[in-house]
Amino acid sequence: MKLLAATNRYYLLLATVLFTAGSVFLYYGVRWTLQSEVEERLFQQRDYLRAQVQRTGHLPGTPFEGRMQLSAQPQPEGLRDTLLLEPLENELEPYRQLTFRLPLNGQTQWVSLSKALLETHDVQRLIVLLLVGVLGTLLLGVVGLNRWLTRRLWAPFEQTLHQLRGYDVRQHQVLHLPDAHIEEFAQLNHTLTHLSERVAADYMLLKAFTENAAHETRTPLAIMQAKLEQLLQLPDLPAPAGPWWATCTRPCSGWPACTRG
């Protein structure tokens, strides 16, 4: 695997993890923000109704959007999600409902205020889609820009590899690498240039030494070859030369007492 591919793989993996985590965080963050806004409106309506009942003694009309239901039967108080029938579309739609007690005409009534979450869901979906689209475009742009930058920034390194593949010390050539704007690549090219100069110089010295050694040994070898050819041309080879005791056939009692003849 190439270094660029490995690097891009780690960048892409990190970007994917961050993109996924950011999308989930964004979704729940937008959902919590919009739901908090709906709950705040419901609490404001509750306070408004309490103030109107305390002042006038009866409930006003519905001066705000949403639904209001009264019940003399005890109801669980607090916030909850529920589904209510939409009469115009004849479909169940999600609502956020707030139930609280309210003294009215000497009796305790349970008031349920409901606010539709459909518009909130539409806004949430729109915001999430827009932001996910922006993040996705940004991710693709970062990946594409990274690939383009890596190809452009690593171009001097590719040129260096190309010249190294065609380098041959027998041609007595020295590497002439281009100048690079990246400091690390510039140092690499500078080091390789000096290394090629030293290799070429050492090769020249070794070649000169080999040629001189061959020239010096050529004459003795030629003489030895001529002598051998002369010996091979003789009809009878003479007796081997050597010390007299090498050819002595008389029994000897010992080398110090032995005399020839």
Side-chain angles (χ1 to χ4, degrees):
M1 181 184 297
K2 292 185 178 180
L3 177 61
L4 294 180
T7 304
N8 290 332
R9 175 175 297 183
Y10 285 111
Y11 279 138
L12 184 60
L13 178 61
L14 177 61
T16 303
V17 172
L18 294 178
F19 176 76
T20 304
S23 300
V24 173
F25 177 78
L26 176 64
Y27 173 78
Y28 286 102
V30 172
R31 179 180 178 182
W32 178 83
T33 302
L34 295 178
Q35 185 171 323
S36 298
E37 181 66 22
V38 171
E39 293 175 356
E40 184 179 356
R41 294 294 298 274
L42 291 175
F43 286 129
Q44 291 176 356
Q45 293 174 6
R46 181 197 63 180
D47 296 338
Y48 174 77
L49 290 178
R50 285 177 175 177
Q52 290 295 322
V53 169
Q54 186 177 4
R55 187 178 64 184
T56 62
H58 60 84
L59 284 173
T62 308
F64 37 74
E65 73 279 1
R67 296 184 178 185
M68 183 175 65
Q69 297 175 350
L70 294 177
S71 176
Q73 299 295 328
Q75 301 290 330
E77 299 184 27
L79 290 165
R80 68 176 182 271
D81 293 325
T82 185
L83 295 175
L84 299 177
L85 181 63
E86 184 65 31
L88 296 179
E89 299 181 359
N90 196 24
E91 293 180 355
L92 293 176
E93 294 184 357
Y95 278 79
R96 189 68 171 168
Q97 191 174 79
L98 174 63
T99 303
F100 59 95
R101 289 183 295 178
L102 185 65
L104 185 63
N105 298 326
Q107 297 180 355
T108 301
Q109 299 286 334
W110 274 264
V111 182
S112 297
L113 299 176
S114 304
K115 184 173 177 57
L117 295 176
L118 186 61
E119 296 180 357
T120 302
H121 288 168
D122 293 339
V123 174
Q124 177 183 350
R125 188 180 301 109
L126 178 61
I127 293 176
V128 170
L129 288 177
L130 288 176
L131 292 180
V132 168
V134 171
L135 291 177
T137 305
L138 181 62
L139 176 61
L140 293 177
V142 169
V143 172
L145 180 62
N146 184 46
R147 289 177 62 88
W148 180 77
L149 284 178
T150 50
R151 289 180 180 178
R152 181 172 181 178
L153 295 178
W154 285 77
F157 182 75
E158 296 291 340
Q159 295 177 3
T160 301
L161 288 181
H162 179 71
Q163 293 199 22
L164 286 176
R165 293 190 189 100
Y167 179 74
D168 189 1
V169 68
R170 294 174 298 179
Q171 297 180 1
H172 315 296
Q173 62 180 359
V174 179
L175 287 174
H176 297 285
L177 301 175
D179 295 332
H181 299 287
I182 307 301
E183 182 179 355
E184 288 78 5
F185 293 156
Q187 293 179 357
L188 176 63
N189 292 346
H190 181 73
T191 303
L192 289 176
T193 301
H194 280 281
L195 180 62
S196 65
E197 292 177 353
R198 293 168 53 186
V199 168
D202 292 343
Y203 178 78
M204 292 298 297
L205 292 176
L206 180 61
K207 183 179 180 181
F209 172 79
T210 304
E211 292 176 352
N212 293 333
H215 178 72
E216 294 296 333
T217 57
R218 188 176 304 162
T219 302
L221 289 176
I223 295 174
M224 294 174 61
Q225 183 178 3
K227 293 293 186 181
L228 289 174
E229 291 178 353
Q230 291 178 2
L231 290 175
L232 292 175
Q233 293 175 1
L234 294 176
D236 295 324
L237 293 177
W244 57 267
W245 59 80
T247 57
C248 182
T249 59
R250 295 178 57 187
C252 300
S253 58
W255 177 78
C258 181
T259 58
R260 187 175 181 181

